[in-house]
């Protein structure tokens, strides 16, 4: 089992950048594919990005390509989400997720979730 704790959220202005971090503890970090999801007020949770166990592969939905970058540091048991050119519509709670399978299984339903960190983008 793995525990996930997100950090780095906050209030920013449109056009700013922000980097979220997710620290994992428990079972070996490199066992898991990792990812980020988000949930905006009144909307369903949506997939943002995923990265394979050793970082060789990443995956983004088309709507997230270009502004968001996922990365991981297995030595630090941490996964990151770099967000650039933020827009008010990026306002959401961002959740870190882990899956014992692959990117494919993570995107369809991760095994583990963090509690989330709030990102608010003002116009």
């Amino acid at each position: 089992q793995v525990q996930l704790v997100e950090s780095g959220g906050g209030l920013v202005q449109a056009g700013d950048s922000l980097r979220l971090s997710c620290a994992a503890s428990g079972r070996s970090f490199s066992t898991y594919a990792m990812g980020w999801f988000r949930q905006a007020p009144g909307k369903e949770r949506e997939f943002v990005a995923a990265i394979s166990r050793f970082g060789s592969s990443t995956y983004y939905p088309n709507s997230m390509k270009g502004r968001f970058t996922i990365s991981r540091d297995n030595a630090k048991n941490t996964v990151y989400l770099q967000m650039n050119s933020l827009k008010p519509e990026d306002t959401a709670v961002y959740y870190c997720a882990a899956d014992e399978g692959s990117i494919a299984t993570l995107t369809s339903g991760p095994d583990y979730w963090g509690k989330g960190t709030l990102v608010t983008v003002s116009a």
Side-chain angles (χ1 to χ4, degrees):
Q1 191 166 352
V2 64
Q3 292 77 45
L4 305 172
V5 179
E6 303 93 336
S7 61
L11 174 63
V12 297
Q13 294 185 333
D16 285 351
S17 297
L18 200 62
R19 189 177 80 159
L20 305 182
S21 299
C22 172
S25 60
R27 192 175 166 190
S28 177
F29 184 61
S30 60
T31 299
Y32 302 97
M34 300 296 297
W36 291 92
F37 292 73
R38 72 182 185 184
Q39 187 166 19
K43 296 186 177 181
E44 293 186 353
R45 192 172 298 187
E46 64 175 338
F47 168 66
V48 174
I51 189 166
S52 59
R53 297 180 181 185
F54 295 97
S56 59
S57 299
T58 58
Y59 177 68
Y60 308 86
N62 288 335
S63 58
M64 305 297 174
K65 289 181 180 178
R67 296 190 299 120
F68 293 178
T69 303
I70 189 171
S71 61
R72 67 189 294 165
D73 185 338
N74 285 357
K76 295 182 178 180
N77 292 348
T78 302
V79 63
Y80 305 98
L81 183 67
Q82 177 68 42
M83 304 186 292
N84 299 327
S85 302
L86 284 162
K87 305 174 182 180
E89 51 264 43
D90 294 318
T91 294
V93 177
Y94 284 73
Y95 296 91
C96 178
D99 195 273
E100 295 179 354
S102 63
I103 287 178
T105 54
L106 182 143
T107 58
S108 62
D111 295 320
Y112 305 100
W113 293 96
K115 293 184 178 181
T117 185
L118 176 63
V119 173
T120 304
V121 184
S122 63

